[in-house]
Amino acid sequence: MPAPVYITGPAGTGKTTKLLERTAAYARDLLTQPHQQLLAMAYMHGARRRLESSLDEDNECSRVPRTVSTIDSFALTLLNRWRTALGITLPVCAAPARCTQRFEQHGRLYLPFAEITSSAANLLANSTVARIIASSYPLVVIDEFQDCTGGKLDLVCALAGASQLILAADP
C-alpha cells in the first residue's frame, strides 16, 4: 500500500479543502467496486460531525459512498465483528469512561476503550481481517490526527497496512 498522505498546517490554512480535494481524487481511483466505501474518521464526535458536514457539502465528495465514524466507534464495530478470532464470545460494549477494568454484565463484555482499540489493531494483524477491511475501505481519511495516540494510533498504523490513508492534522 502507498505511504499515508499527510496534510498539516495551522487552523485556517486550507487543510480541510486540501483533504477534500485529495479524498475526491483518491476515491475516483480506489473505490472501483460497488461494495467499497470511504472510511472517514475523527478522534472526537465534534470533529466527526464537522468532517461529515464537509464531505456532504463538497460537490465531488458528497457522491462518494462512505462510513463516517469516530476512531473508537470503528474499533468497537471491528472488534464485535471478529471478536471470536480473539476468543471473545460475548458482545463487546464500551465500559464507563472511568472504568479501567473489563467486566461482564447482562450477557455483555465491557472493555475500556484503550483495550477496544488495541484489540482492534491486533485484529488487523490477521491477514483475512486486513484483506476484508482493504476490500471494504480501500481509502481511509482521518481528520484531527494530531490527537491520535496510544491504541488509536496503533489502530491507524494497522489500517495503513491495509488501506490508503489521508491524514489531516494541526502541527
Side-chain angles (χ1 to χ4, degrees):
M1 187 56 49
V5 173
Y6 297 97
I7 301 167
T8 60
T13 58
K15 285 189 308 287
T16 300
T17 300
K18 183 61 76 178
L19 177 72
L20 296 173
E21 289 171 0
R22 295 279 174 97
T23 298
Y26 275 97
R28 282 190 298 273
D29 293 338
L30 296 174
L31 304 181
T32 59
Q33 302 298 316
H35 70 278
Q36 293 178 322
Q37 293 186 23
L38 161 69
L39 175 59
M41 296 189 293
Y43 183 78
M44 302 284 283
H45 287 287
R48 179 202 50 83
R49 285 189 294 273
R50 287 189 298 278
L51 177 58
E52 188 167 27
S53 178
S54 295
L55 290 165
D56 285 342
E57 293 169 6
D58 183 84
N59 191 37
E60 287 190 60
C61 290
S62 65
R63 297 185 295 246
V64 174
R66 64 184 178 263
T67 296
V68 184
S69 174
T70 62
I71 297 169
D72 285 336
S73 181
F74 174 73
L76 183 59
T77 299
L78 185 68
L79 181 55
N80 271 306
R81 183 167 182 192
W82 284 290
R83 68 182 183 265
T84 57
L86 296 175
I88 300 171
T89 57
L90 297 174
V92 177
C93 296
R98 292 195 171 105
C99 183
T100 59
Q101 300 295 316
R102 61 171 45 203
F103 64 92
E104 290 182 26
Q105 187 176 18
H106 307 298
R108 299 190 187 292
L109 176 63
Y110 289 81
L111 301 177
F113 264 118
E115 187 173 350
I116 291 170
T117 54
S118 63
S119 296
N122 289 338
L123 280 169
L124 284 167
N126 177 299
S127 61
T128 301
V129 174
R131 273 195 317 272
I132 291 170
I133 292 302
S135 176
S136 300
Y137 304 111
L139 178 59
V140 177
V141 173
I142 302 175
D143 198 11
E144 301 295 338
F145 183 67
Q146 74 276 359
D147 297 324
C148 201
T149 60
K152 290 176 185 62
L153 182 58
D154 293 341
L155 178 59
V156 172
C157 289
L159 279 169
S163 304
Q164 173 63 57
L165 268 57
I166 303 174
L167 309 166
D170 294 340

